[in-house]
């Protein structure tokens, strides 16, 4: 039987880059998203064409019942889950200075980017522990897609930075808790990646990249993140639990 990966927000952008790479590398997929199935059918077909079985699990990771249903659907359909990729995330609807930003935006961003990932991880982790206990040969892992915003302060999206800093600690917490079961937990930290999320700020980042913001003078692509996640999922980093893997073209390397 193929190994099964659940990718939240896996129908576009970085999540789709991850799903594509995992499909290419022989995983069966459960892909979560908020859009109706008809709206993502062509995306699902693209993944199937790569040889993967694909289950679409519609639902919001911010909602407890949706998280529960998502895991139940995977359980019913595949009977196993080896890899959880917490990729779904949102930017604030409106970038606002932290002296003016609203509690509504804070709650929305935190409940998706942090609370949703944290409690989905809790559910998946319990299931992975049960799988490990019934089959010593089970190999699972959890991969959180955070952001350079976990450490780089942007005062016009403070809630996003806080959510990613929190996700970074969640990675360490679950790495510690799941250590005894040999289920590694990793954080993948992208820099500036070309997706719908960054489409509205293309010109700004084009200029910053041309001016040397990153050591590698180009945008990151979803495939750059997908290849890193696939290496982790494939067990190439089994003795590196709790670690952060940067995918930022060197943006965060301090320079003088
Ligand atoms: P995107 O907006 O293109 O895609 C995000 C996906 O997540 C979408 O499919 C969306 O429908 C889904 N999603 C959003 N809220 C959801 C919810 N509540 N439940 C289920 N699915 C939900 O964004 P992206 O750029 O591909 O970002 C993916 C992840 O990478 C996010 O966590 C983001 O914070 C992170 N990231 C992106 C960049 C970048 O430059 N694009 C950089 C660093 C980190």
């Amino acid at each position: 039987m193929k190994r099964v990966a659940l990718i939240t927000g896996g129908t576009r952008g970085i999540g789709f880059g991850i799903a594509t790479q995992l499909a290419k590398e022989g995983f069966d997929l459960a892909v979560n998203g908020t859009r109706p199935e008809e709206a993502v059918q062509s995306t699902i077909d693209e993944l199937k064409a790569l040889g993967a079985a694909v289950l679409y699990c519609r639902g919001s990771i911010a909602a407890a019942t949706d998280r529960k249903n998502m895991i139940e659907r995977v359980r019913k359909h595949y009977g196993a889950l080896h890899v959880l990729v917490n990729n779904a995330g949102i930017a604030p609807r409106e970038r606002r200075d932290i002296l003016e930003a609203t509690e509504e935006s804070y709650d929305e961003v935190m409940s998706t980017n942090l609370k949703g990932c944290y409690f989905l991880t809790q559910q998946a982790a319990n299931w992975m522990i049960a799988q490990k206990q019934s089959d010593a040969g089970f190999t699972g892992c959890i991969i959180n897609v955070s952001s350079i915003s976990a450490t780089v302060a942007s005062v016009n999206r403070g809630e996003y930075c806080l959510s990613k800093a929190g996700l970074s600690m969640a990675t360490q917490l679950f790495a510690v808790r799941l250590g005894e079961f040999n289920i590694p937990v990793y954080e993948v930290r992208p820099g500036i990646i070309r997706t719908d999320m960054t489409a509205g700020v293309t010109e700004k980042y084009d200029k910053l990249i041309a001016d040397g913001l990153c050591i590698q003078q180009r945008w990151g692509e979803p495939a750059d993140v997908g290849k890193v996640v696939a290496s982790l999922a494939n067990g190439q980093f089994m003795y590196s639990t709790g670690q952060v893997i940067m995918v930022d073209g060197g943006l965060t390397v301090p320079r003088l």
Side-chain angles (χ1 to χ4, degrees), residues 9 11-15 32-34 59-62 87-90 112 145-147 160 164 190-193 195-198:
T11 61
R12 73 173 203 211
I14 292 173
N32 148 260
T34 50
S60 168
I61 58 157
N87 163 78
I90 54 171
T112 303
V145 179
S146 69
S147 164
Y160 184 78
K164 296 299 188 180
I192 298 168
I193 312 294
T195 69
D196 288 343
M197 187 181 274
T198 44

